C-alpha cells in the first residue's frame, strides 16, 4: 500500500525534461548519496557578496530545474547563496520517491552543503515549500538553523491527506510520516510561515496551525486570494527582509 500512497503523493519530472541551462544563473552540480546508496543531484548557486546561505527543499512536482527563476529571485531580492536538490526519482536523482526517503535525501543534501561551504547548521536558512516544508522543518529541528521558512506547508501527511480522502482510508493507508507540525514545535529559532488563503491543495488552516505551534520568534504572512502554486508576491520579500533585520540586528 505504501506504493499507492507514493503514487498519489509524488509527481516527479525526470531529466532531461526541464530548464537545465538557465540563463543568468550560476550553478555548480552537486552529487551525493542517500543512506541507501541512491545517487542524488543538486545545484549550489552562489552569489557575489552573499548575505546568507539558503537550503531549499522544493515541493512534490517537477524537478529543481523548474525552480531556476525562483532561485534567481531569492538571489536578487535577498542576496542569498541558494542550494537546492532533487529527491530520489526527480530530475537527475536516481531511485523512487517515498515519504520516508525524502527525509533521508534531505539529510544527505544538508551534509553535502556543509562540506562544500564549511558552514555549521546554525548559519543555514532552511526554506521548504509544500511537501518540502516537512523536509526543511525536520532538518531545522534536528540540527538547528538560523531561520526556518515554510511556504504553503502542511501540518502532517495524514492531516492533509484527510482533506482529500476519507479519514478512515487515510488512517489505514497513509504512513505517519512528514509531521511538519511536530518539527516546528521543536524549532526555537526565528520562523516565517506563509500561506495563500485560497489554497485548496493544502488549506490555509494548515499555515495558521503551524504558526500556533512555533515557539520562537515568528512572522506569519497571508497571501490574499492566492492558490497553492502561485509564486509569492513581490511585497513578501520586503516583509521577510524586515523580519530578518529585526531578528539579527546588532
Amino acid at each position: 500500500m505504501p506504493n499507492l500512497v507514493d503514487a498519489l503523493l509524488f509527481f516527479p519530472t525526470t531529466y532531461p525534461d526541464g530548464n537545465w541551462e538557465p540563463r543568468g544563473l550560476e550553478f555548480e552540480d552537486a552529487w551525493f548519496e542517500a543512506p541507501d546508496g541512491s545517487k542524488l543531484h543538486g545545484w549550489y548557486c552562489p552569489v557575489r557578496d552573499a548575505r546568507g546561505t539558503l537550503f531549499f527543499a522544493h515541493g512534490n512536482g517537477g524537478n529543481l530545474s523548474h525552480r531556476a527563476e525562483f532561485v534567481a529571485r531569492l538571489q536578487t531580492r535577498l542576496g542569498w547563496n541558494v542550494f537546492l536538490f532533487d529527491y530520489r526519482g526527480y530530475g537527475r536523482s536516481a531511485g523512487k520517491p517515498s515519504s520516508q526517503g525524502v527525509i533521508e535525501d534531505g539529510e544527505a543534501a544538508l551534509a553535502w552543503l556543509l562540506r562544500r561551504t564549511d558552514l555549521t547548521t546554525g548559519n543555514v536558512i532552511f526554506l521548504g515549500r509544500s511537501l518540502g516544508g516537512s523536509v526543511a522543518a525536520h532538518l531545522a529541528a534536528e540540527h538547528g538553523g538560523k531561520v526556518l521558512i515554510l511556504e504553503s506547508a502542511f501540518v502532517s501527511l495524514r492531516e492533509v491527506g484527510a482533506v482529500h480522502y476519507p479519514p478512515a482510508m487515510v488512517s489505514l493507508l497513509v504512513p505517519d510520516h512528514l509531521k511538519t507540525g511536530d518539527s516546528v514545535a521543536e524549532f526555537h529559532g526565528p520562523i516565517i510561515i506563509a500561506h495563500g488563503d485560497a489554497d485548496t491543495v493544502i488549506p490555509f488552516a494548515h499555515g495558521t496551525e503551524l504558526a500556533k505551534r512555533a515557539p520562537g520568534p515568528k512572522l506569519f504572512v497571508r497571501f490574499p486570494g492566492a492558490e497553492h502554486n502561485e509564486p509569492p508576491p513581490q511585497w513578501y520579500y520586503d516583509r521577510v527582509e524586515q523580519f530578518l533585520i529585526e531578528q539579527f540586528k546588532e
Side-chain angles (χ1 to χ4, degrees):
M1 289 304 179
N3 288 336
L4 173 60
V5 172
D6 292 342
L8 294 173
L9 180 61
F10 298 103
F11 299 93
T13 299
T14 57
Y15 181 85
D17 287 345
N19 179 18
W20 294 94
E21 295 293 338
R23 181 179 300 177
L25 182 67
E26 179 183 347
F27 65 89
E28 168 188 333
D29 284 309
W31 293 100
F32 47 94
E33 288 189 359
D36 69 349
S38 296
K39 190 174 184 181
L40 306 176
H41 174 254
W43 279 351
Y44 178 64
C45 308
V47 64
R48 182 175 297 179
D49 298 324
R51 300 168 63 187
T53 297
L54 178 92
F55 177 103
F56 175 44
H58 65 67
N60 69 336
N63 59 51
L64 64 78
S65 75
H66 297 117
R67 278 76 183 185
E69 183 177 344
F70 176 67
V71 170
R73 182 185 300 179
L74 289 172
Q75 292 179 324
T76 300
R77 293 299 304 271
L78 299 171
W80 293 340
N81 298 323
V82 179
F83 172 73
L84 67 165
F85 70 102
D86 271 328
Y87 314 115
R88 61 190 69 192
Y90 285 72
R92 301 175 72 181
S93 293
K96 294 183 179 179
S98 69
S99 58
Q100 184 59 38
V102 295
I103 297 295
E104 296 174 358
D105 299 344
E107 292 278 5
L110 177 60
W112 185 93
L113 177 63
L114 298 181
R115 289 194 302 269
R116 171 62 178 79
T117 61
D118 290 328
L119 292 172
T120 65
T121 53
N123 298 117
V124 176
I125 302 163
F126 290 96
L127 166 61
R129 192 172 201 290
S130 191
L131 169 79
S134 287
V135 179
H138 166 83
L139 295 173
E142 286 292 311
H143 303 288
K146 186 173 185 178
V147 181
L148 173 61
I149 305 174
L150 302 177
E151 297 175 355
S152 305
F154 53 71
V155 175
S156 74
L157 184 57
R158 282 186 171 176
E159 288 179 68
V160 75
V163 173
H164 303 284
Y165 303 100
M169 172 182 166
V170 171
S171 179
L172 179 65
L173 300 180
V174 178
D176 194 20
H177 295 162
L178 305 180
K179 295 188 283 189
T180 318
D182 289 356
S183 296
V184 165
E186 295 172 6
F187 179 70
H188 290 263
I191 184 168
I192 299 168
I193 297 172
H195 216 108
D197 61 14
D199 192 333
T200 57
V201 177
I202 302 175
F204 182 71
H206 282 252
T208 58
E209 178 61 24
L210 290 172
K212 289 178 183 178
R213 297 193 189 189
K218 71 188 78 173
L219 170 67
F220 182 70
V221 181
R222 178 178 192 148
F223 299 146
E227 299 180 357
H228 187 71
N229 290 318
E230 292 186 39
Q234 291 296 321
W235 56 260
Y236 166 65
Y237 298 100
D238 295 332
R239 296 280 302 278
V240 168
E241 186 171 35
Q242 184 58 42
F243 176 74
L244 296 181
I245 290 172
E246 292 171 358
Q247 296 304 310
F248 299 106
K249 61 186 176 184
E250 297 180 357

